[in-house]
Amino acid sequence: KIYQQGFLMEIPTSIPAKNPKVIAGEIYIKDVSFETAHSPMIFQRARKEWNPTIIPEYHISVNTIVEDWYEVVLCLTVKTILGDDTAYLAEVHQAGIFSFHEIDENEVNTLLGSYCPRFLFPFARETIVSLVQKAGFNQLSLPPIEFDANFSPLRKDTDSDD
């Protein structure tokens, strides 16, 4: 079997099933980057005035690995602007392997678009915060993201005769 190191998560589902299960396998960083285009001058400015504009953005991608196994990737990007200059740009692609058993396909789509990214977010946030600190900038605090509120059902490509 694939991903036997995973662990079982009990989750609430709105659609009754016999024995619904979500299994989270490996959680890993797929890609990470950090840029300070205006260094070292940005550090001198940061010592004098540190009142930046912080712009967090995210997107989610889902890839089917094999039947019932999915890779969910949360791409979290944080752009921090000081005055007219970008102080830094940090980005992490935090990924996880998830499997769903005895759960309706519509419910699976909801879990892939909201539950899985919410599960991955603390890992992505910790990576970003650590990068910012190691790069010499003031500590960053990222609030949680309401994935449920921003969720739009994932569409699967289908063939049509239109």
Side-chain angles (χ1 to χ4, degrees):
K1 292 190 174 189
I2 300 175
Y3 307 112
Q4 292 182 4
Q5 294 177 345
F7 54 92
L8 182 65
M9 296 183 295
E10 297 297 327
I11 57 157
T13 59
S14 60
I15 300 173
K18 293 179 183 177
N19 190 14
K21 294 179 186 167
V22 175
I23 299 172
E26 282 71 23
I27 306 298
Y28 54 96
I29 294 173
K30 195 164 181 119
D31 190 19
V32 66
S33 68
F34 191 91
E35 299 174 24
T36 54
H38 298 284
S39 61
M41 301 308 284
I42 199 73
F43 294 109
Q44 292 175 335
R45 287 188 53 203
R47 277 195 293 264
K48 294 177 185 175
E49 55 158 314
W50 186 250
N51 190 18
T53 301
I54 299 171
I55 306 167
E57 296 179 352
Y58 75 92
H59 70 270
I60 303 160
S61 63
V62 176
N63 304 304
T64 302
I65 300 170
V66 293
E67 185 179 350
D68 295 331
W69 288 93
Y70 302 89
E71 176 191 54
V72 178
V73 180
L74 169 62
C75 175
L76 178 62
T77 305
V78 176
K79 183 176 185 178
T80 301
I81 301 169
L82 188 60
D84 294 332
D85 297 324
T86 299
Y88 59 82
L89 180 68
E91 182 173 272
V92 63
H93 293 223
Q94 186 71 52
I97 306 296
F98 297 89
S99 181
F100 306 94
H101 301 281
E102 303 211 19
I103 298 175
D104 179 82
E105 184 177 348
N106 290 331
E107 188 76 7
V108 168
N109 286 335
T110 300
L111 294 169
L112 288 169
S114 62
Y115 182 82
C116 294
R118 188 172 58 240
F119 183 85
L120 295 171
F121 179 73
F123 297 97
R125 175 174 50 195
E126 190 279 329
T127 300
I128 295 284
V129 168
S130 178
L131 286 170
V132 168
Q133 183 180 12
K134 289 177 181 179
F137 290 96
N138 291 348
Q139 184 171 354
L140 175 67
S141 178
L142 286 176
I145 296 173
E146 280 295 324
F147 293 101
D148 294 335
N150 298 324
F151 172 71
S152 62
L154 299 171
R155 294 182 297 172
K156 295 188 177 186
D157 293 331
T158 57
D159 295 332
S160 64
D161 295 324
D162 293 340

